[in-house]
Amino acid sequence: MNKAQLVEAIADKLGGRQQAADAVDAVLDAMVRAVVAGDRVSVTGFGSFEKVDRPARYARNPQTGERVRVKKTSVPRFRAGQGFKDLVAGTKKLPKGGEVSVKKAPKGSLSGGASATVKKAAAKKATTAKKAAAKTAVAKKTTAAKKAATAKKAVTKTAAAKKTTATAKKTTATAKKTAPAAKKTTATAKKTAPAAKKATAKTTAPAKKTTARKTTAKKTTARKK
């Protein structure tokens, strides 16, 4: 049975072929959208549809036997309900006439069913968006903190360099101030040196004269004898 045959099968119950086609399209579309969003669609007595993630793996090409790597993917999966299994296995008999083989939904269970699925999908999308926004905010804060730390280090290095330069300038200025004083001291020492030489010369000259006189006196005494 294809889709057109399915529509024809339920057209009499829904009041026309167009109404049946719209109903089938609406049901299939709602189920596909829910499974794609990661929701599980369960129909009591029939089965459930869900999205299954398959990790990356290695497989073999049946024609060549070559080993091929299969990428990570997601696939839809259908699990038949127990009632459906029993009918196919023959442990239960199909109802006669126009009775529906799938169990009827309990009263109140269908109120807001489709909207609930849509709400769940919207809630999941909102949660994902919030997580992405939170991650982005954390990344921005981390980047800002790193930039601030780098700027502080740069400012500290600049301040240290300025202090070192100022200290060097002060040392140079002190050395310049000390240089004239050293020159003055050297000049004073130079001026003092000749005076000291003169004083030494004056002190030595009388001593030499006295020694000469004593020598002459000794010679005179010796002659007299």
Side-chain angles (χ1 to χ4, degrees), residues 4-224:
Q5 292 171 340
L6 176 62
V7 170
E8 290 292 340
I10 63 175
D12 294 338
K13 296 180 180 179
L14 295 178
R17 190 176 183 281
Q18 186 60 47
Q19 289 80 353
D22 293 340
V24 170
D25 289 339
V27 170
L28 296 179
D29 182 68
M31 292 173 67
V32 170
R33 289 180 182 277
V35 173
V36 170
D39 198 6
R40 184 170 181 268
V41 179
S42 180
V43 181
T44 304
F46 177 67
S48 61
F49 298 86
E50 59 186 341
K51 179 180 179 181
V52 179
D53 295 327
R54 285 185 179 176
R57 66 190 189 282
Y58 285 96
R60 291 193 178 277
N61 189 332
Q63 295 180 352
T64 61
E66 182 183 0
R67 192 181 184 194
V68 182
R69 179 174 176 79
V70 181
K71 295 181 180 180
K72 179 182 178 181
T73 185
S74 298
V75 296
R77 176 184 291 175
F78 170 72
R79 290 183 179 179
Q82 190 60 45
F84 193 6
K85 290 180 180 180
D86 293 340
L87 291 173
V88 174
T91 55
K92 284 187 179 181
K93 293 182 179 182
L94 284 171
K96 296 179 181 180
E99 295 182 9
V100 181
S101 58
V102 180
K103 291 183 179 179
K104 292 184 179 180
K107 292 182 180 180
S109 62
L110 297 180
S111 57
S115 60
T117 302
V118 175
K119 287 180 180 179
K120 285 182 180 180
K124 286 186 178 180
K125 288 183 181 179
T127 304
T128 305
K130 286 182 180 179
K131 287 181 179 180
K135 288 182 179 179
T136 304
V138 172
K140 287 183 179 179
K141 287 182 180 179
T142 305
T143 305
K146 286 182 179 179
K147 287 183 179 179
T150 305
K152 284 183 180 179
K153 288 181 180 179
V155 171
T156 304
K157 288 182 179 179
T158 304
K162 287 182 179 179
K163 286 183 180 179
T164 305
T165 305
T167 305
K169 287 183 179 178
K170 286 182 180 179
T171 305
T172 304
T174 304
K176 288 182 179 178
K177 288 181 180 178
T178 308
K183 288 182 179 178
K184 288 181 180 179
T185 304
T186 304
T188 304
K190 287 182 179 179
K191 289 180 181 179
T192 308
K197 287 182 180 180
K198 288 180 180 180
T200 304
K202 287 180 180 180
T203 304
T204 306
K208 287 182 179 180
K209 288 179 179 180
T210 303
T211 304
R213 288 176 184 176
K214 287 182 179 181
T215 304
T216 306
K218 283 183 180 180
K219 289 181 178 181
T220 306
T221 302
R223 288 178 182 176
K224 287 179 179 183

